[in-house]
CSV table of all heavy atoms in Angstrom, one decimal:
chain,number,residue,atom,x,y,z
A,210,TYR,N,18.6,9.2,8.2
A,210,TYR,CA,18.1,8.0,7.4
A,210,TYR,C,17.7,6.9,8.3
A,210,TYR,O,18.5,6.5,9.2
A,210,TYR,CB,19.2,7.6,6.5
A,210,TYR,CG,18.8,6.5,5.5
A,210,TYR,CD1,17.8,6.7,4.6
A,210,TYR,CD2,19.5,5.3,5.4
A,210,TYR,CE1,17.4,5.7,3.7
A,210,TYR,CE2,19.1,4.3,4.5
A,210,TYR,CZ,18.1,4.5,3.7
A,210,TYR,OH,17.7,3.5,2.8
A,211,VAL,N,16.5,6.4,8.1
A,211,VAL,CA,16.0,5.2,8.8
A,211,VAL,C,16.1,4.0,7.9
A,211,VAL,O,15.4,3.8,7.0
A,211,VAL,CB,14.5,5.4,9.3
A,211,VAL,CG1,14.1,4.3,10.2
A,211,VAL,CG2,14.3,6.8,9.9
A,212,GLU,N,17.1,3.1,8.2
A,212,GLU,CA,17.5,2.1,7.3
A,212,GLU,C,16.3,1.1,7.0
A,212,GLU,O,16.0,0.8,5.9
A,212,GLU,CB,18.7,1.3,7.8
A,212,GLU,CG,20.0,2.1,7.8
A,212,GLU,CD,21.2,1.2,8.1
A,212,GLU,OE1,21.0,0.0,8.4
A,212,GLU,OE2,22.3,1.7,8.0
A,213,GLU,N,15.6,0.6,8.0
A,213,GLU,CA,14.6,-0.4,7.8
A,213,GLU,C,13.4,0.1,7.0
A,213,GLU,O,12.8,-0.6,6.3
A,213,GLU,CB,14.1,-0.9,9.2
A,213,GLU,CG,15.1,-1.8,10.0
A,213,GLU,CD,16.2,-1.0,10.7
A,213,GLU,OE1,16.1,0.3,10.6
A,213,GLU,OE2,17.1,-1.6,11.2
A,214,ASP,N,13.2,1.4,7.1
A,214,ASP,CA,12.1,2.0,6.3
A,214,ASP,C,12.5,2.6,5.0
A,214,ASP,O,11.7,3.1,4.2
A,214,ASP,CB,11.4,3.1,7.1
A,214,ASP,CG,10.5,2.6,8.2
A,214,ASP,OD1,10.7,1.4,8.7
A,214,ASP,OD2,9.6,3.3,8.7
A,215,ARG,N,13.8,2.7,4.8
A,215,ARG,CA,14.4,3.4,3.6
A,215,ARG,C,13.8,4.8,3.5
A,215,ARG,O,13.4,5.3,2.5
A,215,ARG,CB,14.2,2.6,2.3
A,215,ARG,CG,14.9,1.3,2.3
A,215,ARG,CD,14.7,0.6,0.9
A,215,ARG,NE,15.1,1.4,-0.2
A,215,ARG,CZ,14.6,1.4,-1.4
A,215,ARG,NH1,13.6,0.5,-1.7
A,215,ARG,NH2,15.0,2.1,-2.4
A,216,LEU,N,13.7,5.5,4.7
A,216,LEU,CA,13.1,6.8,4.8
A,216,LEU,C,14.2,7.8,5.2
A,216,LEU,O,15.0,7.6,6.1
A,216,LEU,CB,12.1,6.8,5.9
A,216,LEU,CG,11.5,8.1,6.4
A,216,LEU,CD1,10.8,8.8,5.2
A,216,LEU,CD2,10.6,7.9,7.6
A,217,LEU,N,14.3,8.9,4.4
A,217,LEU,CA,15.3,9.9,4.6
A,217,LEU,C,14.6,11.3,4.9
A,217,LEU,O,13.8,11.7,4.2
A,217,LEU,CB,16.2,10.1,3.4
A,217,LEU,CG,17.3,11.2,3.5
A,217,LEU,CD1,18.3,10.8,4.5
A,217,LEU,CD2,17.9,11.5,2.2
A,218,TYR,N,15.0,11.8,6.1
A,218,TYR,CA,14.6,13.2,6.4
A,218,TYR,C,15.8,14.1,5.9
A,218,TYR,O,16.9,14.0,6.5
A,218,TYR,CB,14.4,13.4,7.9
A,218,TYR,CG,13.1,12.6,8.3
A,218,TYR,CD1,13.3,11.4,9.0
A,218,TYR,CD2,11.9,13.2,8.2
A,218,TYR,CE1,12.1,10.7,9.4
A,218,TYR,CE2,10.7,12.5,8.6
A,218,TYR,CZ,10.9,11.2,9.2
A,218,TYR,OH,9.8,10.5,9.7
A,219,ALA,N,15.6,14.9,4.9
A,219,ALA,CA,16.7,15.6,4.2
A,219,ALA,C,16.9,17.0,4.6
A,219,ALA,O,17.9,17.6,4.2
A,219,ALA,CB,16.6,15.5,2.7
A,220,GLY,N,16.0,17.6,5.4
A,220,GLY,CA,16.2,19.0,5.7
A,220,GLY,C,16.1,19.8,4.5
A,220,GLY,O,15.4,19.5,3.5
A,221,ASP,N,16.8,21.0,4.4
A,221,ASP,CA,16.7,21.9,3.3
A,221,ASP,C,17.7,21.5,2.2
A,221,ASP,O,18.0,22.4,1.3
A,221,ASP,CB,17.0,23.3,3.8
A,221,ASP,CG,15.7,23.9,4.5
A,221,ASP,OD1,14.7,23.2,4.6
A,221,ASP,OD2,15.8,25.0,5.0
A,222,LEU,N,18.2,20.3,2.1
A,222,LEU,CA,19.1,19.9,1.1
A,222,LEU,C,18.3,19.3,-0.1
A,222,LEU,O,18.9,19.0,-1.2
A,222,LEU,CB,20.1,18.9,1.6
A,222,LEU,CG,21.1,19.4,2.6
A,222,LEU,CD1,21.8,18.2,3.2
A,222,LEU,CD2,22.0,20.4,2.0
A,223,PHE,N,17.0,19.1,0.0
A,223,PHE,CA,16.2,18.4,-1.0
A,223,PHE,C,14.9,19.1,-1.1
A,223,PHE,O,14.2,19.4,-0.1
A,223,PHE,CB,16.0,17.0,-0.6
A,223,PHE,CG,15.3,16.1,-1.6
A,223,PHE,CD1,16.0,15.4,-2.5
A,223,PHE,CD2,13.9,16.0,-1.5
A,223,PHE,CE1,15.3,14.6,-3.4
A,223,PHE,CE2,13.2,15.2,-2.4
A,223,PHE,CZ,13.9,14.5,-3.4
A,224,PHE,N,14.5,19.4,-2.4
A,224,PHE,CA,13.2,20.0,-2.6
A,224,PHE,C,12.5,19.2,-3.7
A,224,PHE,O,13.0,18.9,-4.7
A,224,PHE,CB,13.4,21.5,-3.1
A,224,PHE,CG,13.9,22.4,-2.0
A,224,PHE,CD1,15.3,22.4,-1.7
A,224,PHE,CD2,13.1,23.3,-1.4
A,224,PHE,CE1,15.8,23.2,-0.7
A,224,PHE,CE2,13.6,24.1,-0.4
A,224,PHE,CZ,14.9,24.1,-0.1
A,225,ALA,N,11.2,18.9,-3.4
A,225,ALA,CA,10.4,18.1,-4.4
A,225,ALA,C,9.6,19.0,-5.3
A,225,ALA,O,8.7,19.7,-4.8
A,225,ALA,CB,9.5,17.1,-3.6
A,226,GLY,N,9.9,19.0,-6.6
A,226,GLY,CA,9.1,19.6,-7.6
A,226,GLY,C,9.0,21.1,-7.5
A,226,GLY,O,8.1,21.8,-7.9
Side-chain angles (χ1 to χ4, degrees):
Y210 185 58
V211 188
E212 288 189 356
E213 289 78 6
D214 285 22
R215 293 182 59 208
L216 169 63
L217 178 69
Y218 295 98
D221 283 357
L222 295 171
F223 182 93
F224 291 77

